[in-house]
Amino acid sequence: MKGCSSIGRASVSKTEGWGFETLRPCHFADGLALKALHPAGRGRRGRDLGTREAMAKLNPVEFIQEVRQEVSKVTWPTWKEVWITTAMVLVMVTLASLFFLLADQTIGWIVRFVLGMGR
């Protein structure tokens, strides 16, 4: 059985050329039928129709260990880098605010000048 969308599917640029194929309704993925009855693959009574039992039960202890392992791979910035970045953001916000204030005042002056000419 081969499903087909009523409107064509555009290719995704990030996966184009990498050998990925989009799944259509009722195609099989890893031996499991994907249901397209409701959004998020859920039926009318809220049951999950496309779950994988292997991923459904994850040991919380294993999960926390995996999270700690991934967090240990993160390169955290130093306090000096945080303060410098914060200062740069504040300076740029101030400069942008001044620029837009000046632009707003200038445009307002021009509009008042043009509208005042008709008197």
Side-chain angles (χ1 to χ4, degrees), residues 25-71:
C26 302
H27 268 204
F28 289 93
D30 298 330
L32 298 173
L34 297 177
K35 306 289 184 179
L37 297 176
H38 279 270
R42 297 193 181 278
R44 290 185 182 172
R45 301 195 192 275
R47 291 189 330 239
D48 200 345
L49 300 174
T51 60
R52 298 178 188 192
E53 291 183 20
M55 292 179 64
K57 295 184 180 180
L58 183 64
N59 187 353
V61 176
E62 290 178 19
F63 176 74
I64 292 174
Q65 289 173 347
E66 291 176 9
V67 169
R68 285 184 158 200
Q69 183 180 10
E70 291 300 318
V71 168

Side-chain angles (χ1 to χ4, degrees), residues 15-22:
T15 59
E16 187 70 33
W18 287 89
F20 293 106
E21 294 182 19
T22 59

